């Protein structure tokens, strides 16, 4: 795809719709001025003022997934986002909300993220198929407040489950978390790890997978039951299924 228009510096450009063929198992997820997605994001139909030769790189995401990086939204430093609905896709939204008596969530250029303060909540909802996984990424100098989810299983930035709406709550009495981006998926194949009598939480942050993907099993992080040791993974709770060692 090449726009052969001879633009003058400062001219307004309308971003084209994608006509590239997506890689297997991937969907188009907008344009970016950097191949790795760290630059300025544009949707088809967006406009911008062109001042130099510019390349827009197609962004690809696992089929059924959509993401938003808050640094690409053009938000001003300190923008109060309490109650503001942000679209991750046409069907998936996120809304940040201020706790009663607390500090309002806001976007800051330091850390290029939304600061969700203690007791703030943010709700990710869909009007389509249920959400099956959510990945939160955090900005620099992120805080240490716990984050809990209203349903499903959450650990270290990754949520898995099946819900039309998930509300996350930032714990603590002070402090904040810096939410840099959110990826929400309504499809794909989810790999779950079950403690099967042990305790703890393990989530594969590579979820969701596409059919035929190669998976490397995780190292066990569950706490074993009393007087027991970890003996590998199995697709059946009673050990009658397929066996996998750690890292296999």
């Amino acid at each position: 795809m090449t726009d052969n228009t001879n633009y003058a510096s400062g001219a307004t450009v309308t971003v084209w719709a994608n006509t590239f063929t997506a890689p297997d198992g991937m969907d188009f997820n907008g344009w970016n001025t950097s191949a790795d997605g760290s630059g300025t994001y544009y949707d088809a139909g967006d406009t911008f003022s062109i001042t130099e030769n510019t390349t827009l790189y197609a962004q690809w995401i696992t089929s059924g997934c959509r993401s938003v990086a808050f640094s690409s939204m053009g938000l001003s430093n300190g923008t109060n986002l309490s109650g503001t609905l942000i679209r991750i896709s046409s069907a998936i939204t996120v809304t940040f909300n201020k706790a009663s008596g607390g500090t309002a969530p806001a976007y800051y250029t330091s850390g290029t993220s939304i600061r969700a303060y203690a007791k703030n909540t943010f709700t990710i909802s869909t009007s389509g198929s249920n959400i099956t996984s959510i990945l939160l990424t955090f900005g620099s100098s992120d805080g240490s407040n716990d984050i809990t989810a209203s349903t499903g299983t959450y650990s270290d930035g990754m949520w898995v489950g099946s819900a039309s709406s998930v509300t996350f709550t930032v714990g603590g009495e002070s402090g904040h978390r810096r939410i840099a981006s959110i990826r929400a998926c309504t499809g794909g194949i989810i790999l779950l790890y079950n403690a099967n009598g042990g305790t703890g939480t393990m989530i594969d942050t590579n979820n969701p997978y596409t059919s035929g993907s190669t998976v490397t099993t995780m190292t066990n992080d569950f706490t074993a039951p009393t007087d027991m040791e970890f003996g590998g993974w199995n697709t059946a709770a009673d050990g009658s299924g397929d066996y996998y060692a750690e890292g296999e």
Side-chain angles (χ1 to χ4, degrees):
M1 294 175 60
T2 302
D3 185 346
N4 292 316
T5 305
N6 186 16
Y7 291 104
S9 180
T12 298
V13 175
T14 300
V15 178
W16 286 7
N18 172 56
T19 60
F20 290 126
T21 299
D24 288 344
M26 306 293 279
D27 288 337
F28 178 70
N29 192 44
W31 303 101
N32 201 285
T33 54
S34 296
D36 64 1
S38 62
T40 302
Y41 172 87
Y42 296 105
D43 274 322
D46 284 351
T47 60
F48 67 94
S49 177
I50 193 166
T51 58
E52 58 184 354
N53 292 338
T54 301
T55 299
L56 297 181
Y57 296 88
Q59 301 296 293
W60 306 109
I61 194 168
T62 302
S63 294
C65 298
R66 293 293 182 268
S67 66
V68 60
F70 300 116
S71 62
S72 69
M73 294 181 57
L75 297 168
S76 299
N77 189 50
T79 301
N80 183 334
L81 293 172
S82 183
T84 301
L85 184 146
I86 298 171
R87 289 209 168 273
I88 301 174
S89 73
S90 59
I92 304 173
T93 61
V94 57
T95 305
F96 288 81
N97 285 294
K98 172 181 172 292
S100 177
T103 303
Y107 177 80
Y108 287 93
T109 53
S110 174
T112 57
S113 56
I114 294 175
R115 297 186 188 179
Y117 291 90
K119 294 186 170 55
N120 284 177
T121 62
F122 53 101
T123 299
I124 301 172
S125 302
T126 177
S127 59
S129 301
N130 275 3
I131 300 168
T132 55
S133 69
I134 296 168
L135 178 65
L136 310 178
T137 59
F138 301 98
S140 60
S141 302
D142 182 39
S144 58
N145 300 55
D146 287 337
I147 294 177
T148 57
S150 59
T151 187
T153 303
Y154 173 83
S155 179
D156 297 328
M158 186 77 195
W159 176 91
V160 293
S162 180
S164 60
S165 181
V166 185
T167 296
F168 296 90
T169 302
V170 179
E173 298 297 326
S174 61
H176 63 270
R177 299 301 301 267
R178 298 187 176 191
I179 314 296
S181 68
I182 296 174
R183 185 195 72 189
C185 302
T186 58
I189 299 170
I190 303 298
L191 175 61
L192 299 176
Y193 288 83
N194 189 301
N196 198 25
T199 56
T201 300
M202 288 179 59
I203 295 181
D204 186 345
T205 57
N206 293 311
N207 279 314
Y209 290 96
T210 56
S211 180
S213 296
T214 299
V215 176
T216 301
T217 56
M218 295 174 66
T219 299
N220 174 55
D221 197 38
F222 292 126
T223 300
T226 303
D227 297 328
M228 304 290 282
E229 294 181 352
F230 179 72
W233 303 107
N234 201 285
T235 55
D238 64 1
S240 63
D242 295 326
Y243 170 83
Y244 298 99
E246 295 171 305
E248 188 174 347

